Amino acid sequence: MKLKYKWICGLLSASLLSATMTACSYPWSFWDTEKRQDQSGVAVATLRTEEGQKENRIETREAAGTEKNGGEKQKDETEEDGGAEESDPAEAAEKDFLLPEQFDYREHGRCPEVGSQGDLGTCWAFATMMALESSLLPEEVWDFSEDHISLKNSFGMDQDMGGDYTMSMAYLLAWQGPVREEDDPYGDGVSPEGLKPMKHVQEIQIPKSRDYDAIKRAVYFHGGVQTSLYMAMEDEESQAEFYREETFAYYYNGNEPSNHDIVIVGWDDHYPRENFGRHMPKEDGAFLCVNSWGAEFGEQGLFYVSYEDKNIGTHNLVYTKVEEPDNYDAVYQSDLCGWLGQLGYGEESAYFANVYRAKEEETLEAVGFYATDEHTEYEVYVVGEAKEPEKIRLGRPVVTGRFGKAGFYTVPLPSPVNLKKDERFMVAVFVRTPGAIHPVAIEYQNHKESGATAKVDLSDGEGYISADGRLWTRVEAEQDSNVCLKAYTKRK
């Protein structure tokens, strides 16, 4: 079976960025593409820019980086859900809960402190840290560093070039952060070496685009939802016809895509449509959002965005599992830039695997990987003494389950697996994602691009993909990629 692929979130060259993007964030919108087949039978696509000139032999989503704001597998007795939609009691309770018609983090001690990005393109970093901080409130109060995430990630972009959710997820899931603001203050352009993360982010869910019920439930039960909109203003001192300063109300009904990251921290189903002034939506209702322009903007940094806004709630993240930094002793990984693309065989299912070498006597406790869309079923396998990975045939899965939402998940193993020092071990996963044709998340190296691009290191991984779990293809050699699959261990 021919291997097919789909790239997402590929960072474009600096010249194209400057030509097509004008603000802090430009996340996950599809470019217009024309699919075709190459001579080997591998699916490819021609990328057409707005100018209709630049081509690229990949199917891609819009650039992750931007400039600063200037404008039937039968389950067995080993099955565990690991957050499965149907049998997870917590998720079932969330789904059945009757949401209030109005909800405001400020009334519950859950609103994060408002920060100011100044004149740098770091709205994505502020949105990330405020959303993360809100997920820990009110029990824990943190002030995480925006400087560190924007300077110490694995992407080759300056603070004035912006960023997006891809970078947020990659930085946190790689345990590169978060660190405390006091250890790396914002705005000096310098980030100290050797800072350790104060938390380990182990799960990030991606609420479905424009699913306001899912967004509200994420806010109510988990934390602020990092999202984006088209911001017609440049900063807190600017004015725009889409923003009514008297009521802190914003509603954009044009055709521009998102260019600015914010955090949803509440809603009001009866927020009057008249509050939006001349550009008035058809119905009442708005999300309460935190901006990154300091307390001088809006109502002490907060403002209302109409449910009918063109972009609000289209691209979303919520940090649903944030643990202490001693939960595991080590993470084995080769995807420091995270989910940049997808691989598959033109079908809903595929196998993928990574081979790692144990650094010491340890126990394998959990694995982490992405569900690239909703209702992804999975099976996890572990193979010790993996000397010839290309020829390995998998036995019984050690754990199975299903994820209701897209996102990154950590799946604990029912029983830890003992690893000897220097032992080569394989972690493999089978996924079936309804409607998908490229269900496997990968970190992608694009040799043809230059300038602002992910600093992908293909030398640190030994990843494989398979259609049947028997014949394996090495992805670093064949697809210029690393498999997004992490292994978490504890020392003996």
Side-chain angles (χ1 to χ4, degrees):
M1 184 176 293
K2 294 292 185 179
L3 183 64
K4 301 180 181 180
Y5 58 84
K6 172 183 178 182
W7 309 122
I8 65 170
C9 301
L11 295 175
L12 304 185
S13 67
S15 60
L16 186 56
L17 282 172
S18 62
T20 62
M21 302 177 192
T22 59
C24 299
S25 162
Y26 212 110
W28 298 9
S29 299
F30 280 109
W31 283 81
D32 182 24
T33 57
E34 178 182 353
K35 297 180 181 178
R36 56 188 174 84
Q37 295 285 115
D38 70 4
Q39 294 180 351
S40 66
V42 176
V44 299
T46 299
L47 173 65
R48 297 195 298 270
T49 68
E50 294 175 357
E51 294 82 0
Q53 298 174 349
K54 195 176 183 68
E55 289 190 350
N56 195 336
R57 285 167 48 84
I58 60 175
E59 183 177 354
T60 183
R61 288 186 179 181
E62 196 100 7
T66 66
E67 298 178 30
K68 66 182 179 181
N69 192 340
E72 277 177 291
K73 281 263 180 175
Q74 183 66 39
K75 298 179 181 179
D76 58 35
E77 65 272 12
T78 65
E79 176 179 346
E80 286 192 7
D81 246 353
E85 181 188 39
E86 291 185 346
S87 58
D88 184 343
E91 190 164 348
E94 290 180 20
K95 188 174 182 181
D96 294 338
F97 181 80
L98 182 62
L99 290 168
E101 296 179 345
Q102 187 272 342
F103 187 66
D104 186 336
Y105 267 12
R106 295 173 296 184
E107 299 173 359
H108 301 274
R110 297 177 62 185
C111 192
E113 183 178 352
V114 175
S116 176
Q117 68 185 85
D119 61 354
L120 296 175
T122 51
C123 67
W124 68 278
F126 276 83
T128 301
M129 292 310 166
M130 289 189 293
L132 182 61
E133 290 161 8
S134 73
S135 71
L136 298 170
L137 288 167
E139 290 82 5
E140 299 182 48
V141 180
W142 288 90
D143 185 6
F144 293 129
S145 171
E146 291 83 14
D147 225 42
H148 196 266
I149 186 175
S150 55
L151 291 171
K152 290 297 185 181
N153 59 70
S154 296
F155 294 76
M157 300 178 68
D158 296 329
Q159 284 182 307
D160 61 354
M161 296 180 68
D164 86 333
Y165 309 155
T166 305
M167 297 167 67
S168 303
M169 290 193 296
Y171 166 87
L172 292 171
L173 295 172
W175 293 359
Q176 293 172 330
V179 306
R180 296 180 300 182
E181 172 70 17
E182 63 186 79
D183 294 329
D184 189 356
Y186 181 72
D188 59 4
V190 177
S191 187
E193 299 291 337
L195 296 179
K196 301 297 183 182
M198 304 307 295
K199 294 287 184 179
H200 283 168
V201 175
Q202 300 294 152
E203 182 178 296
I204 302 173
Q205 292 185 7
I206 304 174
K208 187 177 180 180
S209 176
R210 307 294 283 192
D211 186 339
Y212 287 177
D213 183 78
I215 293 171
K216 290 175 181 178
R217 293 183 189 279
V219 171
Y220 191 91
F221 288 103
H222 298 291
V225 170
Q226 183 177 345
T227 189
S228 58
L229 46 65
Y230 175 74
M231 179 56 74
M233 300 176 289
E234 296 184 5
D235 53 39
E236 70 276 10
E237 298 179 353
S238 303
Q239 294 182 347
E241 58 183 317
F242 308 103
Y243 178 63
R244 189 180 183 193
E245 190 172 2
E246 295 80 6
T247 52
F248 320 116
Y250 188 86
Y251 167 51
Y252 177 71
N253 60 350
N255 295 317
E256 295 292 338
S258 299
N259 65 0
H260 185 63
D261 279 8
I262 56 174
V263 181
I264 297 175
V265 294
W267 66 86
D268 185 350
D269 291 344
H270 302 289
Y271 188 82
R273 59 191 287 268
E274 292 80 9
N275 281 3
F276 294 94
R278 183 160 60 93
H279 287 274
M280 190 181 303
K282 296 179 181 178
E283 304 290 341
D284 294 343
F287 285 114
L288 177 66
C289 303
V290 180
N291 202 358
S292 54
W293 292 352
E296 300 299 318
F297 173 79
E299 187 176 10
Q300 297 296 308
L302 282 73
F303 67 122
Y304 289 90
V305 180
S306 169
Y307 289 159
E308 297 176 30
D309 182 89
K310 173 66 180 296
N311 298 296
I312 190 74
T314 301
H315 309 289
N316 315 288
L317 286 185
V318 59
Y319 302 99
T320 49
K321 187 173 291 184
V322 183
E323 299 182 357
E324 295 304 311
D326 61 354
N327 58 349
Y328 305 107
D329 292 320
V331 55
Y332 288 85
Q333 58 186 335
S334 59
D335 59 330
L336 296 182
C337 292
W339 178 13
L340 299 178
Q342 292 170 222
L343 282 176
Y345 293 89
E347 297 181 351
E348 295 181 343
S349 62
Y351 292 81
F352 58 100
N354 268 344
V355 175
Y356 295 110
R357 185 181 296 276
K359 297 178 181 178
E360 53 186 310
E361 297 283 326
E362 11 182 12
T363 57
L364 177 62
E365 303 283 333
V367 299
F369 53 94
Y370 292 92
T372 56
D373 210 337
E374 296 183 317
H375 312 302
T376 292
E377 299 176 12
Y378 67 84
E379 298 174 351
V380 175
Y381 302 81
V382 178
V383 180
E385 301 293 345
K387 296 180 179 180
E388 296 182 281
E390 294 91 343
K391 300 179 181 180
I392 286 178
R393 295 194 177 189
L394 302 175
R396 292 168 63 86
V398 297
V399 58
T400 69
R402 184 169 68 167
F403 305 124
K405 299 180 180 65
F408 181 93
Y409 295 87
T410 299
V411 179
L413 304 185
S415 299
V417 177
N418 291 322
L419 301 173
K420 296 178 293 185
K421 183 178 180 180
D422 293 326
E423 177 182 357
R424 280 167 51 83
F425 65 98
M426 172 186 273
V427 175
V429 178
F430 166 83
V431 290
R432 178 184 287 116
T433 303
I437 57 175
H438 315 93
V440 179
I442 58 168
E443 179 191 51
Y444 159 58
Q445 178 67 71
N446 188 347
H447 294 295
K448 297 181 180 180
E449 295 294 350
S450 61
T453 186
K455 294 182 178 179
V456 173
D457 180 5
L458 296 181
S459 68
D460 64 348
E462 185 179 344
Y464 298 87
I465 188 169
S466 172
D468 58 7
R470 297 182 178 183
L471 300 176
W472 298 87
T473 297
R474 179 75 184 272
V475 296
E476 289 85 4
E478 300 296 328
Q479 297 296 330
D480 286 340
S481 307
N482 286 318
V483 170
C484 294
L485 175 57
K486 302 179 190 289
Y488 303 97
T489 66
K490 288 184 178 180
R491 290 186 293 270
K492 286 187 178 180

